[in-house]
Amino acid sequence: MPQKRALCIGINDYGDYDTPLFGAVNDAVAWSNVLQRRGFKSQLLQDRDATRPAILRHLKDLAVVAQPNDLVVITFAGHGSQVPDLSDDERDSYDECWCPHGVGEEGWITDDEIGNISASRRKGVRWIVISDSCHSGTVTSRGASRARLLPHVNFYRKGLVTPVDPPCEPQPRPLLFAACQDHQLARELPSGKNGVFTHHALRTLGNVHGHSSYDQWMRATRGAMDREELALQTPSLSGEDDSWVVFATG
């Protein structure tokens, strides 16, 4: 019988960086709770447990254990950034990345690394990534919201930029449900309770009927956001078949 597996990551505490978040751990817990109610076996990584080695280890374990027709969902809430593209596969010359706890010492996790791990899964495994983090190299702030971004200049000083091979892609790319476009910032609610994207995505998920597709869910999420929110961040959907039924196995 097909299995549903999830890894939910949330990081508020960024140690020496004076850029704490307030709603990222709440996001991870909320995603984990929702997914468990939908039949997922969910693992939760928070703050100091969500280091680069730990996240990569959990991702690789999921790629190994998942069988054909299983569904794997990865959620990440935390800081994002951009780093120089040393593998020459990005048109803008930057790789997008997640910033784990301890990023200043151990480094980030690039889109190429995530893509390589997902590409190593067995044929027929559905792999969904839900990312509530910034995909931009420019720091801005507006109102009471906090942007989920660490500037890449901090990383240059520590010499952490290293080459990473681009995804080999023997498998289709994972379906990516993202908080914003590559050039935009993902923000938290003024209350700090959750990320703006996660707040609306989870709220609309409750109204998504049993046969709705990821594309329909994304349209509902965008529709729930007001004009100012959409001007700052426009959620995006890319990758594999967005006509799949939400959180359904193969």
Side-chain angles (χ1 to χ4, degrees):
M1 182 175 180
Q3 301 294 309
K4 296 182 177 182
R5 309 173 191 275
L7 175 64
C8 299
I9 306 159
I11 308 166
N12 289 337
D13 177 11
Y14 277 88
D16 292 341
Y17 288 100
D18 188 23
T19 52
L21 294 172
F22 300 100
V25 169
N26 287 345
D27 287 354
V29 172
W31 282 115
S32 183
N33 289 340
V34 164
L35 291 168
Q36 287 183 66
R37 290 197 294 270
R38 289 174 175 256
F40 282 79
K41 180 180 179 181
S42 179
Q43 298 173 294
L44 190 61
L45 287 179
Q46 304 174 59
D47 284 337
R48 293 181 181 275
D49 292 332
T51 61
R52 170 183 162 84
I55 292 171
L56 290 176
R57 183 176 67 254
H58 279 77
L59 291 175
K60 290 174 182 177
D61 287 348
L62 284 169
V64 168
V65 74
Q67 301 297 314
N69 298 319
D70 283 358
L71 173 61
V72 174
V73 173
I74 312 297
T75 76
F76 177 84
H79 279 307
S81 191
Q82 289 181 317
V83 293
D85 169 33
L86 302 184
S87 55
D88 198 29
D89 67 323
E90 298 280 357
R91 286 180 296 178
D92 63 358
S93 299
Y94 285 96
D95 281 322
E96 284 68 49
C97 66
W98 288 345
C99 299
H101 180 84
V103 61
E105 292 70 41
E106 296 178 315
W108 48 82
I109 298 173
T110 66
D111 51 6
D112 285 342
E113 291 178 286
I114 298 166
N116 278 332
I117 293 172
S118 69
S120 71
R121 71 194 188 275
R122 290 178 175 84
K123 185 176 181 180
V125 175
R126 293 187 175 184
W127 192 282
I128 314 294
V129 177
I130 300 173
S131 186
D132 196 339
S133 60
C134 291
H135 295 269
S136 171
T138 303
V139 176
T140 61
S141 183
R142 187 175 184 123
S145 334
R146 179 178 292 272
R148 290 183 168 178
L149 176 135
L150 285 180
H152 54 68
V153 67
N154 289 336
F155 305 146
Y156 296 157
R157 296 186 185 128
K158 293 182 176 290
L160 291 174
V161 179
T162 55
V164 176
D165 291 333
C168 49
E169 293 195 4
Q171 296 268 32
R173 287 189 302 151
L175 187 65
L176 174 62
F177 207 66
C180 59
Q181 307 293 317
D182 280 352
H183 64 283
Q184 294 178 323
L185 305 182
R187 289 171 168 78
E188 298 195 316
L189 296 172
S191 67
K193 184 178 180 181
N194 292 103
V196 170
F197 168 71
T198 293
H199 169 74
H200 290 296
L202 288 176
R203 190 177 68 170
T204 56
L205 180 61
N207 297 322
V208 169
H209 62 74
H211 299 289
S212 294
S213 67
Y214 287 97
D215 179 64
Q216 290 171 316
W217 182 22
M218 174 58 77
R219 290 174 185 271
T221 300
R222 288 177 182 155
M225 297 173 67
D226 64 36
R227 185 174 299 178
E228 182 177 359
E229 289 171 333
L230 285 171
L232 293 170
Q233 63 177 94
T234 306
S236 65
L237 182 65
S238 62
E240 211 166 347
D241 194 345
D242 61 16
S243 66
W244 287 342
V245 174
V246 174
F247 298 146
T249 54

